Amino acid sequence: MDIQTNYRPTEAIINLQAIKQNVASLRQHLQKNVQIIAVVKANAYGHGDVEVAAAAIEAGATMLAVATPDEAVHMRAHFPEIDILILGATPPNFIPYAAKENITLTVFSTDWIKYAASYLPQAQPVKLHIKVDSGMGRIGVTSKEELIPLYQMITDSPHFIVDGIFTHFATADEEDSLYFDNQVSLFKELLAALPSKPRLVHVANTATALVKDISLQYDAVRFGISMYGLLPSSYVGEILPFPIQPAFSLQTELVHVKPLQAGQSVGYGATFTAQEDIYVGTIPIGYADGMLRKLGGQEVLVGGERAKIIGRICMDQSMILLPKAYNIGEPVVLIGRQGQEEITLDDWANKLETINYEVPCVITARVPRKYQ
Ligand SMILES: *Cc1c(COP(=O)(O)O)cnc(C)c1O
């Protein structure tokens, strides 16, 4: 028997047309022959990795980037042909799978190559991209003294291929470019020290690809946040070369509506008390869905109007102040458009005192993603 899940009306709607359009617009903006690596780590920033990857590939992406080996396995199960790069550190015990299934790994230490001796691939060699840490202070080689022995060790081995080299910028989305320029110089110096240029040199994240010098597009750009229609920063928004369209919306329905008399309270701690007679609606979404308690007071959209979340957000339910007695089943938009009004992921990010990247990532798996 098929088990139907998702009886609850709470769902995230992902607009795949928007994702395709965002990738296609980037395609127009890039130099000829620059490839698009679609960054679909963390379940495509919470949007759903399989569907987003398919949309991105259809719109011209030629490679997928994920963060972990498990994400790569998941992608490979759905996309047998496409190149997949794991951006993070991969334990050497993944090498046999990587060789068999053509997964490209990130490497940044000679120790890793040494440990790899116990897991050498039987089949074809494993493709590696060398990570340069030019200023992020996380994984990566930081000098020629580290880079060259690593490069030699890989090229000396029949089991590995240097397929690429890359770095990642800490401040590409900021107006002040001093730190960025220093990172670029260090990367260029290390690249120039290699005996030959690997097939794929890539340094650009979204912000770099959109607003920095076109020479930094190199052979490929790693397109993340703006593929989802979100801005890396407000600065990038000011000088964006093409419009982008957000793909994520979040909606539910009223499951209960009741009048509340002046003096009655709402929610744990009874933190909200009606000052006059009001209507209060219950919506079936709470912090276990990723609508964190800090979003108390945030507005939602009902009947094309703004309504406030009142009282404390519960684990599975929340209460909103209604301007009138709506019917059960009335649609409620938490993120997205309704009529003339819009609530954005950035509105949530501001309320949560965080960045838009984090918001869809923390909408939990309990919220089904629907595609349109
Ligand atoms: C996540 C990530 C990206 C994508 O960054 P955006 O700002 O979302 O474009 C690119 N490169 C690396 C190494 C990353 O970890």
Side-chain angles (χ1 to χ4, degrees):
M1 190 180 87
D2 275 352
I3 297 173
Q4 184 189 339
T5 55
N6 185 29
Y7 290 95
R8 190 175 67 146
T10 302
E11 54 195 24
I13 309 290
I14 313 301
N15 181 348
L16 295 175
Q17 273 326 82
I19 289 177
K20 284 182 209 166
Q21 187 55 54
N22 295 333
V23 174
S25 299
L26 175 71
R27 171 85 274 140
Q28 295 292 309
H29 174 74
L30 295 179
Q31 300 280 95
K32 221 166 142 262
N33 297 327
V34 175
Q35 298 192 40
I36 297 175
I37 303 173
V39 182
V40 293
K41 62 191 179 189
N43 194 28
Y45 296 34
H47 290 60
D49 53 7
V50 174
E51 292 78 4
V52 167
I57 292 166
E58 197 187 313
T62 52
M63 192 174 196
L64 303 175
V66 295
T68 72
D70 306 70
E71 290 176 352
V73 170
H74 182 58
M75 284 292 90
R76 179 55 81 224
H78 289 87
F79 302 96
E81 300 294 338
I82 190 109
D83 279 330
I84 298 173
L85 169 66
I86 300 177
L87 296 167
T90 294
N93 64 3
F94 188 71
I95 289 172
Y97 181 94
K100 193 161 146 282
E101 297 291 341
N102 183 30
I103 307 292
T104 306
L105 307 182
T106 291
V107 66
F108 46 88
S109 90
T110 49
D111 279 350
W112 190 91
I113 304 288
K114 287 178 197 153
Y115 297 140
S118 327
Y119 301 99
L120 289 179
Q122 301 300 311
Q124 69 263 42
V126 175
K127 290 190 263 176
L128 301 177
H129 284 205
I130 298 176
K131 180 69 183 287
V132 173
D133 173 16
S134 55
M136 272 292 283
R138 57 182 198 193
I139 57 171
V141 297
T142 55
S143 65
K144 280 184 247 183
E145 290 67 35
E146 273 183 278
L147 172 65
I148 300 304
L150 175 60
Y151 180 87
Q152 287 304 346
M153 201 182 262
I154 301 170
T155 46
D156 287 350
S157 166
H159 302 291
F160 299 110
I161 294 170
V162 181
D163 180 58
I165 185 165
F166 71 111
T167 194
H168 191 52
F169 297 117
T171 62
D173 60 354
E174 292 174 18
E175 184 164 13
D176 184 337
S177 73
L178 184 64
Y179 197 86
F180 180 86
D181 294 341
N182 285 334
Q183 283 199 257
V184 171
S185 306
L186 180 59
F187 179 77
K188 284 185 174 165
E189 193 189 316
L190 267 59
L191 185 60
L194 290 182
S196 70
K197 186 188 105 45
R199 184 182 70 93
L200 270 189
V201 178
H202 51 104
V203 303
N205 57 359
T206 296
T208 309
L210 295 186
V211 302
K212 297 294 186 182
D213 194 274
I214 52 169
S215 68
L216 295 174
Q217 295 174 2
Y218 284 102
D219 301 308
V221 301
R222 303 186 302 270
F223 196 39
I225 196 72
S226 292
M227 175 165 70
Y228 305 100
L230 303 170
L231 293 167
S233 68
S234 52
Y235 166 67
V236 171
E238 286 164 26
I239 51 174
L240 199 65
F242 53 83
I244 55 172
Q245 206 190 324
F248 188 97
S249 52
L250 182 63
Q251 65 185 38
T252 188
E253 291 175 7
L254 290 173
V255 292
H256 193 44
V257 176
K258 66 172 52 154
L260 216 62
Q261 287 164 3
Q264 291 185 305
S265 295
V266 170
Y268 288 114
T271 57
F272 174 90
T273 303
Q275 300 303 310
E276 56 191 338
D277 292 357
I278 59 167
Y279 286 98
V280 59
T282 304
I283 50 175
I285 181 170
Y287 61 78
D289 299 297
M291 191 167 89
L292 304 180
R293 289 169 90 244
K294 206 171 178 180
L295 285 160
Q298 170 63 38
E299 290 173 330
V300 303
L301 304 177
V302 194
E305 288 180 80
R306 290 173 176 268
K308 247 191 203 335
I309 297 173
I310 52 174
R312 291 201 179 124
I313 291 173
C314 311
M315 188 184 287
D316 319 297
Q317 310 180 50
S318 305
M319 288 70 82
I320 57 177
L321 176 59
L322 295 174
K324 64 179 194 194
Y326 280 106
N327 292 327
I328 307 306
E330 180 74 22
V332 176
V333 170
L334 299 134
I335 296 170
R337 282 185 175 283
Q338 196 184 59
Q340 302 302 306
E341 296 287 348
E342 182 176 18
I343 291 168
T344 64
L345 270 172
D346 285 283
D347 293 334
W348 274 41
N350 289 336
K351 185 89 182 163
L352 290 165
E353 296 179 82
T354 184
I355 53 172
N356 54 17
Y357 289 73
E358 202 176 55
V359 176
C361 287
V362 303
I363 302 297
T364 63
R366 195 168 78 173
V367 178
R369 272 65 171 171
K370 296 276 183 65
Y371 298 89
Q372 55 166 231

